[in-house]
Amino acid sequence: MCGIVGYVGSKNAQDFLISGLKRLEYRGYDSAGIVTLNDKGVPTLLKAKGKITGLESKVAQNKRPDSIGIGHTRWATHGEPSEKNAHPHKAGKLYIVHNGIIENYKELKAKLESSHKFISETDTEVLAALINHFYLDGLYPLSNAVVQALKLVHGTYGIAVISELNPTEIVVARSGSPLVIGIGHGETLIASDASALIGHTKKAVYLNDGEVATISKDSVEIKTLNSQPVSAKVETIQTDLAAIQKGGYDHFLLKEIMEQPTSLTETLRGRVNLKERLVHLGGPNLSDKELKNIRHLIIVGCGTAYHAGMLASYYIEQFTTDLTVDPVMASEYRYRHANVPDHSVALIVSQSGETADTLACLRELKAQGVKTIGIVNAIGSTIAREVDGGTYIHVGPEISVASTKAFTSQAVAMIMFGLTIAQAKGIKPSILAPYVEDIAILPDEIAKLLKTVPKAIEILAKNYKDYDHAIYLGRDVSYPAAMEGALKLKEISYIDANAYPTGELKHGPLALVDDRFFELVLLPEDSLYDKSISGVQEVLARGGHIIVVTNSLKFSLPVENVVKITTKLKLLTPILMNLISQLFAYYITTAKGLNVDQPRNLAKSVTVE
Ligand code: F6R
């Protein structure tokens, strides 16, 4: 959510800033800006509303050889998307870009109004003015002024600041919003996400909360807000360029759907022993005794990560006995006064590892003494670093705003965690074996599905693109899968889609069925198949426009469309069916001519509350 970049070195700063912002555009895309300084400190500040291409055209007309600068792509929080509200913001001779939210900006603004004429509605300009207040036109080092200002701030920030008075250094700081420093040869780069650094350097320093760094082209000095020096820990960026490119696909979303056989294989690598029908997860770092003692599993996530947790909870409950599994939405849970029973462990699920609500729950649960285990994708992210143990899902960068491959791997990783508990609790191997077998073949089953269905789904989607509303139905494990399918459709196609358990229809939602709605039913041939059929019949009897996704050969109701899949899976079919929902949402959205990868009003990695 919002992207920050910065450069100091001897190459062209504008070039890096624009290419870096393009890489981060999925984090926010309503306006963007950069400022660079020449060696005398003369600034070139360029901003544009809308996507980075707008800014890029402006830069093309204002090329500068400057070799220091900062940039930002915005997802609006305070103030509408506009050039005026776009970052960088200026106060005196300094410029700032900022991710996060300054919660006490109103009271700070009231105090600063006599010395600074505010031109934007943003909280960021308040922070700029506050730093400038302590900077006293360069009387103090910029980093001191930044520290003084940040001590007065409540909220979250990842910031980068430069001054016309010293065009050789950038000051960066973070609290609750990620910042990574790339170490190059005679150049130092900064970004809110390592993907902007790929191709420039593999060496990175991840700033921790409460740290401030002063960087020049060949040095990085880090200290805490209390002026304690911190030695920089240099880590290696694992991702390569191919992982962040579209690789021949029209959209990242399609690429990410199609790469699930390999991304899931990476999740499973070294963790499934098919011969012994066992799973092994090293990362959680829990002894057999600790695993055995777990009585209560809280699964915390937002959006798709929450759905993955809910789906996993249905499975884990099937094969464990003395374990309660409680999937919770982080944005709600953080303010609930939930009693956390003894012997609880929390799974903290997040693709980005930066989601503010999920992070807040993690911190709260840790404070209550609950052991926290991360199910995270982004390596080195805040959640990954703060959990007590964890399992990376290793699906590679997920760039499209709508989460797809992460969902599949999050769900499977959590089922594996459940199996790990069950193994330690001595649940009969014959009960667990079918789950392990299904997990082991899932990547191949996904590959088979993706070889056969996309064309048919593309054709099907064209027939449903003009509906205003959709109802997704599923029962048991298919219900969370239906929830995820509905979320995918609504967030990228803007069709109002909601999911209901098939058995709940007659308790209200059935009243909706009319020609403005279509219904997509996930109907695996499982123990509730016959009961789910009754639900389909109820909708059919009321003239519903029904699509059924099923692996059953006996399904014969005269619904509008049937997507028949064949699979060897016995238990994990709903996870496979979710890929049909992903493709369906994708093709409806392309048929409507909408921006698939960057849906309106949204951004990836929600680092604000
Ligand atoms: C939906 C989607 C969001 C995220 C949610 C959590 O497609 O992407 O609902 O799943 O914002 O994000 P992470 O997993 O990064 O914590």
Side-chain angles (χ1 to χ4, degrees):
M1 187 154 272
C2 299
I4 287 180
V5 285
Y7 179 88
V8 51
S10 42
K11 294 191 195 136
N12 188 294
Q14 285 183 332
D15 289 348
F16 171 73
L17 298 178
I18 291 294
S19 70
L21 287 179
K22 280 186 169 169
R23 298 249 184 99
L24 301 184
E25 195 167 21
Y26 69 104
R27 289 180 159 258
Y29 30 83
D30 61 44
S31 56
I34 62 171
V35 62
T36 57
L37 303 173
N38 74 8
D39 53 6
K40 307 264 176 322
V42 177
T44 302
L45 175 62
L46 301 166
K47 297 183 183 187
K49 189 177 166 195
K51 298 199 186 292
I52 309 293
T53 44
L55 178 66
E56 194 175 18
S57 316
K58 279 199 173 167
V59 171
Q61 288 153 22
N62 294 278
K63 283 303 285 176
R64 298 283 184 276
D66 306 350
S67 51
I68 181 168
I70 54 177
H72 188 265
T73 178
R74 180 168 185 254
W75 183 85
T77 56
H78 296 68
E80 54 164 15
S82 66
E83 217 169 278
K84 183 182 72 173
N85 288 331
H87 303 206
H89 288 287
K90 182 177 188 208
K93 296 197 166 9
L94 56 85
Y95 300 81
I96 183 172
V97 290
H98 165 225
N99 286 354
I101 290 184
I102 307 302
E103 285 165 9
N104 56 338
Y105 82 103
K106 277 197 180 138
E107 61 191 77
L108 292 170
K109 190 171 184 175
K111 288 186 189 143
L112 291 160
E113 240 144 8
S114 56
S115 57
H116 177 85
K117 188 171 169 339
F118 285 94
I119 55 169
S120 78
E121 298 147 75
T122 65
D123 51 340
T124 303
E125 192 183 357
V126 176
L127 185 53
L130 188 61
I131 297 171
N132 191 44
H133 168 79
F134 290 109
Y135 187 45
L136 294 179
D137 274 339
L139 200 61
Y140 291 108
L142 182 57
S143 65
N144 284 16
V146 168
V147 167
Q148 293 309 316
L150 292 181
K151 283 185 174 167
L152 300 179
V153 154
H154 305 305
T156 55
Y157 53 80
I159 56 167
V161 192
I162 57 174
S163 163
E164 292 172 19
L165 300 176
N166 186 358
T168 62
E169 70 173 28
I170 306 176
V171 175
V172 294
R174 82 159 262 177
S175 180
S177 204
L179 246 171
V180 49
I181 302 167
I183 317 286
H185 297 291
E187 60 183 7
T188 310
L189 311 95
I190 57 154
S192 49
D193 176 333
S195 65
L197 307 180
I198 294 165
H200 299 278
T201 178
K202 276 198 166 298
K203 289 202 277 177
V205 176
Y206 292 85
L207 217 58
N208 290 307
D209 276 355
E211 290 178 355
V212 179
T214 305
I215 64 171
S216 70
K217 66 184 172 120
D218 41 28
S219 69
V220 175
E221 271 174 38
I222 308 178
K223 59 183 178 181
T224 63
L225 284 181
N226 298 324
S227 303
Q228 295 303 310
V230 176
S231 60
K233 186 171 161 232
V234 181
E235 300 183 34
T236 305
I237 301 173
Q238 307 284 359
T239 316
D240 60 17
L241 215 48
I244 55 163
Q245 290 169 340
K246 285 190 193 146
Y249 289 98
D250 288 344
H251 302 101
F252 281 111
L253 190 69
L254 187 58
K255 178 192 177 217
E256 287 159 12
I257 294 172
M258 298 305 276
E259 70 191 10
Q260 290 179 87
T262 42
S263 59
L264 182 60
T265 302
E266 288 309 313
T267 311
L268 303 187
R269 192 174 295 288
R271 291 169 172 169
V272 182
N273 178 344
L274 192 53
K275 208 163 141 224
E276 313 258 330
R277 305 290 192 268
L278 290 174
V279 298
H280 173 74
L281 295 178
N285 231 348
L286 295 167
S287 67
D288 265 8
K289 189 167 169 235
E290 286 173 302
L291 287 164
K292 203 170 162 178
N293 279 338
I294 302 174
R295 297 272 178 281
H296 193 99
L297 193 60
I298 307 163
I299 306 184
V300 186
C302 293
T304 289
Y306 165 70
H307 292 157
M310 193 165 163
L311 185 140
S313 74
Y314 275 71
Y315 282 113
I316 299 170
E317 281 172 354
Q318 287 173 8
F319 57 71
T320 50
T321 41
D322 61 342
L323 183 73
T324 310
V325 192
D326 201 2
V328 295
M329 260 179 209
S331 57
E332 282 295 304
Y333 191 70
R334 64 183 294 185
Y335 294 113
R336 266 168 58 187
H337 300 278
N339 280 324
V340 181
D342 290 344
H343 306 291
S344 290
V345 161
L347 291 184
I348 312 294
V349 195
S350 176
Q351 185 286 126
S352 62
E354 302 293 349
T355 300
D357 288 319
T358 312
L359 183 57
C361 291
L362 158 64
R363 289 178 177 160
E364 177 57 34
L365 285 160
K366 271 183 90 168
Q368 290 186 40
V370 178
K371 192 116 191 174
T372 55
I373 308 293
I375 303 289
V376 174
N377 186 37
I379 294 172
S381 55
T382 311
I383 291 176
R385 283 182 291 138
E386 293 196 13
V387 284
D388 299 308
T391 293
Y392 278 121
I393 59 170
H394 291 305
V395 300
E398 195 183 60
I399 291 170
S400 196
V401 165
S403 185
T404 51
K405 61 179 178 174
F407 173 84
T408 306
S409 284
Q410 285 164 343
V412 173
M414 283 185 269
I415 298 169
M416 287 202 286
F417 185 73
L419 287 167
T420 311
I421 299 176
Q423 286 166 187
K425 282 180 182 286
I427 306 272
K428 272 198 203 145
S430 59
I431 294 177
L432 306 182
Y435 294 91
V436 181
E437 285 159 16
D438 258 22
I439 288 172
I441 63 168
L442 188 56
D444 281 349
E445 292 299 297
I446 291 177
K448 272 196 298 183
L449 183 88
L450 292 176
K451 274 204 187 97
T452 49
V453 299
K455 195 72 219 162
I457 304 298
E458 185 176 3
I459 294 165
L460 181 73
K462 290 203 173 101
N463 297 328
Y464 290 90
K465 74 175 176 51
D466 295 321
Y467 279 85
D468 294 327
H469 310 275
I471 297 178
Y472 279 58
L473 295 168
R475 197 151 190 186
D476 194 54
V477 188
S478 301
Y479 170 52
M483 289 169 81
E484 174 55 13
L487 174 61
K488 231 49 352 158
L489 185 70
K490 77 181 100 171
E491 72 179 317
I492 60 173
S493 76
Y494 317 142
I495 293 175
D496 164 39
N498 285 299
Y500 301 98
T502 316
E504 277 292 301
L505 273 175
K506 51 193 166 301
H507 300 291
L510 204 51
L512 293 170
V513 174
D514 70 17
D515 287 340
R516 295 166 306 153
F517 283 76
F518 72 85
E519 296 79 25
L520 188 145
V521 189
L522 300 181
L523 187 66
E525 195 166 9
D526 58 15
S527 58
L528 292 176
Y529 176 79
D530 291 330
K531 292 190 188 299
S532 303
I533 284 284
S534 313
V536 180
Q537 267 164 333
E538 286 159 13
V539 181
L540 196 58
R542 281 147 188 97
H545 300 276
I546 306 173
I547 307 165
V548 166
V549 181
T550 187
N551 59 334
S552 170
L553 294 176
K554 56 185 188 193
F555 182 80
S556 61
L557 292 178
V559 296
E560 229 169 64
N561 278 289
V562 182
V563 179
K564 280 224 164 133
I565 61 169
T566 47
T567 175
K568 288 189 205 140
L569 294 170
K570 295 192 181 73
L571 297 159
L572 300 189
T573 310
I575 300 182
L576 191 67
M577 287 181 169
N578 182 56
L579 273 85
I580 303 280
S581 302
Q582 292 175 348
L583 287 165
F584 186 64
Y586 171 76
Y587 284 120
I588 284 203
T589 307
T590 50
K592 290 177 85 162
L594 296 170
N595 188 332
V596 179
D597 285 331
Q598 294 169 344
R600 71 183 179 204
N601 305 341
L602 298 178
K604 199 132 182 115
S605 187
V606 185
T607 50
V608 295
E609 194 180 336

